[in-house]
Amino acid sequence: MEGILIIISGFSGAGKGTIVKHLLEDEQYALSISATTRKPRAGEYEGQHYYFIDETEFKTMIKHDELIEYASYVGNYYGTPKNYVLEQLAEGLDVILEIEMQGALQVKKQFPDALLVFITAPTAYEIKERLIKRGTESLELITKRLEKSLTEINAIDDYDYILVNDGLEETVTHLHGIIDSEHERVKRNKDLKDRLKKEFIELLKGE
Ligand code: 5GP
């Protein structure tokens, strides 16, 4: 069976990166590594957190149709390389895209069966606190990210689930549960239904 394409978005500072890292401890998942024109932060590595490229390279990827989606976010481009995602889905793995909302909606158009999960901290105040504590950005950039979050609020309506991150372990378990349930959807189990049907026919032939 093909894997599920799982899009995880959330406000900057909602803790989605940490949640995804824990989710990936399970072998059923593959993480798509995005390309970005943003400069690496301290502790970020090429090919592990992102493929860090310049704007010319990014535009070449767009031109060659190598990205499933891309978006501009607070002054930089971010995009999802296509091949890896298609390969891993075909292998039966659930592929995780940790991307912002404009990109998520582009993916949903192309992959209507994708599962869209939005992660937030319990309050907007906590989001600001987390961004300040992370210490990777200036107060000016943090304000930009908070302003961006406000403009994105209404797009949450296009997601399937909204998860409040009020504790890492609980949130990861919860997310696992959502994905597991998603696997049981009838639309994702047509093969099972067809097999049962065949079995009934065979069985009744023998009666
Ligand atoms: P950051 O700069 O904090 O790593 O990421 C900024 C935002 O870009 C986050 O919301 C992150 O989820 C999103 N992002 C990361 N990779 C991609 C991508 O490939 N496509 C899109 N559309 N957004 C991405």
Side-chain angles (χ1 to χ4, degrees), residues 16-161:
K16 60 186 185 302
T18 317
I19 292 167
V20 167
K21 209 166 116 193
H22 280 75
L23 199 66
L24 286 168
E25 285 167 8
D26 196 305
E27 287 180 350
Q28 94 189 59
Y29 302 111
L31 176 69
S32 158
I33 308 291
S34 299
T36 184
T37 58
R38 170 167 79 60
K39 297 276 171 287
R41 294 185 189 127
E44 283 186 337
Y45 300 103
E46 169 68 18
Q48 188 180 333
H49 296 90
Y50 284 106
Y51 298 109
F52 296 100
I53 61 178
D54 63 26
E55 209 166 306
T56 313
E57 290 170 304
F58 199 93
K59 288 192 170 148
T60 307
M61 288 186 86
I62 298 173
K63 203 168 127 199
H64 293 168
D65 196 24
E66 287 168 13
L67 299 172
I68 290 182
E69 60 73 37
Y70 66 92
S72 163
Y73 184 92
V74 195
N76 287 298
Y77 284 112
Y78 296 81
T80 306
K82 189 183 277 180
N83 283 349
Y84 177 81
V85 171
L86 298 182
E87 279 162 22
Q88 300 299 309
L89 286 176
E91 290 282 321
L93 292 175
D94 293 337
V95 180
I96 298 178
L97 308 186
E98 192 205 315
I99 64 177
E100 55 67 64
M101 302 174 101
Q102 304 166 56
L105 301 185
Q106 290 176 49
V107 176
K108 191 179 175 179
K109 277 196 194 130
Q110 292 171 64
F111 297 83
D113 284 344
L115 173 67
L116 276 74
V117 181
F118 192 87
I119 295 177
T120 178
T123 69
Y125 303 100
E126 279 170 69
I127 288 174
K128 185 177 175 188
E129 283 306 305
R130 287 186 194 184
L131 285 174
I132 292 171
K133 265 198 202 138
R134 189 163 82 182
T136 53
E137 266 130 308
S138 64
L139 207 56
E140 190 193 341
L141 253 183
I142 289 176
T143 304
K144 273 201 185 141
R145 284 181 179 251
L146 293 172
E147 283 167 0
K148 180 84 182 165
S149 298
L150 178 60
T151 65
E152 290 177 337
I153 289 274
N154 288 332
I156 295 177
D157 290 340
D158 290 313
Y159 281 68
D160 298 304
Y161 293 92

